[in-house]
Amino acid sequence: MGFPGVLAGWGLLDYKTEKWALLAKKGYQERDLDPQISVITKLKGVSVTQIKELGNRLWDVADFVKPPQGENTFFLVTNFLVTPEQVQDKCPEHPSIPLANCWADEDCPEGETGTHSHGIKTGQCVEFNGTHRTCEIQGWCPVESGTVPVKPLLVQAENFTLFVKNTVTFNKFNFSKSNALDTWDATYFKRCRYDSHYSPYCPVFRIGDLVAAAGGVFEDLALLGGAVGVRVHWDCDLDAGASDCRPHYSFQLQERSYNFRTASHWWKASGVEARSLLKLYGIRFDILVTGQAGKFGLIPTTITLGTGAAWLGVITFLCDLLLLYVDEEAHFYWSTKYEEAKAPKVTTTPEQTKPASAPPACGCPGVLEGTQSGNQTPTAEWPCLGSGPPSPACS
């Protein structure tokens, strides 16, 4: 036969499928897939820079973390370009700006500005340096240099530490949990560092290790910036209690370049407004928290069992179709599954075999039944169809 074990095989498969859905996938649990999330971040570390524009300068958390109030997204400064003491004045445009280079005043239409320009053209073509002449502009002077940094200035940021405090609340089960471990050791969070094998639940991360886990190289991201995603996922089995509800961390490199500009303003003694312009390069951290919790419930258990039973009926029906109409020896399965119904045999009795007395062909008035004396009884007249008066035989 072509399919001798199909029905049994499919039945076993359906049993295993139902068991997998019920136990492995925890089909007996109610689920809460939308927890309330709270994230607080703190960055620790200091760095020193030595550049001509600023001299020796110490950078701490207030300088290299933007915004200072850490949430689920923050920026760590690792490199910068500074343009100090800018004032509102007239000065030559930078040669790297499109349509900034000129030979004569006619090349600089007065009032013209561009998307990348630093100000409004005054209509004058002036000398920028010994090799370039550019259009004069009205704006913040001197203009920003287009120099690209060749090495990160805050390279010590690789050893900074990031503390991520996360709390999830599953309102459906009235359950809340934090990733900060309960400990009596006040120095624990100062000493512990996250490690996927030896310390997977420590919420303190070394920046260099975090970038490496995301698939990046810290020196490259520190030079021109980038973006790193930190994912915290909670998968809680509340039937096992709070001990089986712990965070799992994963990291992903999202961007390889990131920068923006900011400025600090002040007033000079002469009453002129001035500013220092900073073009900041660094790493943006995006912290994404997801989670789900499950707990035993009668309704999902009933639904899972009912679905498995329904699938078993469907599979049985499909197997019957295969064996009855597709298998080359379908006739054998037909004869095994179905029995031909035959009409029942009829038994007769002597009374049923005695022929019934037929009525006389025609009746004559006055004829008596019976032949013995005393048993004769008169019979009613039985007229003959189409006859006239009684025949002489009846007289």
Side-chain angles (χ1 to χ4, degrees):
M1 291 187 297
F3 300 94
V6 172
L7 183 61
W10 277 100
L12 179 61
L13 176 61
D14 184 74
Y15 165 75
K16 290 184 176 181
T17 302
E18 182 175 353
K19 182 178 179 182
W20 176 79
L22 185 65
L23 300 179
K25 298 299 291 183
K26 299 180 181 177
Y28 57 87
Q29 289 186 335
E30 292 185 88
R31 314 294 294 179
D32 188 349
L33 306 178
D34 188 22
Q36 290 185 347
I37 306 297
S38 173
V39 178
I40 298 176
T41 58
K42 290 184 179 181
L43 204 64
K44 297 291 184 180
V46 293
S47 182
V48 177
T49 60
Q50 297 179 354
I51 58 175
K52 179 179 62 175
E53 294 84 357
L54 298 178
N56 294 342
R57 179 174 176 178
L58 177 69
W59 294 68
D60 60 12
V61 177
D63 298 315
F64 55 67
V65 177
K66 309 290 181 183
Q69 179 61 41
E71 296 180 357
N72 58 344
T73 299
F74 67 95
F75 179 79
L76 169 63
V77 179
T78 57
N79 205 4
F80 60 90
L81 292 175
V82 59
T83 307
E85 298 189 3
Q86 287 184 316
V87 295
Q88 292 279 339
D89 201 354
K90 295 179 181 181
C91 58
E93 180 62 282
H94 196 276
S96 63
I97 302 300
L99 303 179
N101 293 273
C102 62
W103 293 100
D105 294 344
E106 290 76 10
D107 298 329
C108 306
E110 184 177 359
E112 184 182 71
T113 184
T115 303
H116 302 285
S117 63
H118 293 102
I120 302 174
K121 293 180 180 178
T122 63
Q124 302 293 319
C125 181
V126 297
E127 182 178 345
F128 179 82
N129 55 27
T131 58
H132 290 85
R133 291 175 60 86
T134 60
C135 295
E136 184 183 60
I137 62 167
Q138 175 73 41
W140 288 99
C141 298
V143 295
E144 180 186 58
S145 171
T147 304
V148 177
V150 293
K151 64 179 182 178
L153 297 175
L154 299 175
V155 68
Q156 296 93 337
E158 182 177 9
N159 296 316
F160 292 176
T161 58
L162 170 64
F163 173 65
V164 179
K165 185 177 182 181
N166 167 226
T167 302
V168 292
T169 302
F170 297 98
N171 291 324
K172 187 173 185 178
F173 305 118
N174 195 25
F175 178 82
S176 181
K177 188 70 180 289
S178 173
N179 68 330
L181 301 178
D182 295 330
T183 177
W184 294 100
D185 187 358
T187 64
Y188 172 75
F189 293 109
K190 296 181 179 180
R191 294 182 290 102
C192 85
R193 297 292 181 269
Y194 172 83
D195 185 277
S196 58
H197 298 289
Y198 302 106
S199 187
Y201 303 118
C202 174
V204 182
F205 306 85
R206 179 177 173 270
I207 296 298
D209 296 338
L210 194 154
V211 172
V217 178
F218 178 80
E219 289 77 9
D220 296 339
L221 295 187
L223 180 63
L224 297 177
V228 173
V230 180
R231 183 170 184 255
V232 186
H233 180 68
W234 297 79
D235 191 359
C236 301
D237 183 2
L238 300 186
D239 291 327
S243 60
D244 198 18
C245 185
R246 294 178 177 177
H248 300 276
Y249 301 96
S250 59
F251 314 95
Q252 181 180 8
L253 182 62
Q254 298 174 333
E255 297 288 344
R256 294 185 178 273
S257 179
Y258 190 83
N259 65 78
F260 65 93
R261 292 173 175 84
T262 185
S264 58
H265 295 252
W266 73 92
W267 294 90
K268 291 186 174 183
S270 59
V272 177
E273 182 184 10
R275 75 174 189 179
S276 288
L277 178 65
L278 288 172
K279 183 178 182 181
L280 301 178
Y281 299 85
I283 305 173
R284 189 189 71 194
F285 292 92
D286 299 318
I287 301 175
L288 174 64
V289 181
T290 59
Q292 62 177 354
K295 195 174 184 179
F296 174 79
L298 182 60
I299 294 178
T301 302
T302 305
I303 293 175
T304 302
L305 292 176
T307 303
W311 271 110
L312 182 60
V314 171
I315 290 175
T316 303
F317 173 74
L318 294 177
C319 289
D320 278 347
L321 291 180
L322 289 175
L323 294 175
L324 290 172
Y325 300 104
V326 178
D327 187 27
E328 59 185 7
E329 298 188 19
H331 64 280
F332 177 81
Y333 189 70
W334 270 95
S335 62
T336 304
K337 184 175 179 66
Y338 301 106
E339 181 180 357
E340 183 179 0
K342 297 181 179 180
K345 295 180 179 180
V346 179
T347 59
T348 60
T349 61
E351 290 77 4
Q352 293 174 330
T353 58
K354 181 179 179 180
S357 58
C362 59
C364 299
V367 177
L368 300 177
E369 286 190 3
T371 57
Q372 296 180 0
S373 177
N375 294 330
Q376 296 177 350
T377 58
T379 60
E381 179 182 353
W382 191 276
C384 296
L385 297 177
S387 62
S391 63
C394 297
S395 56

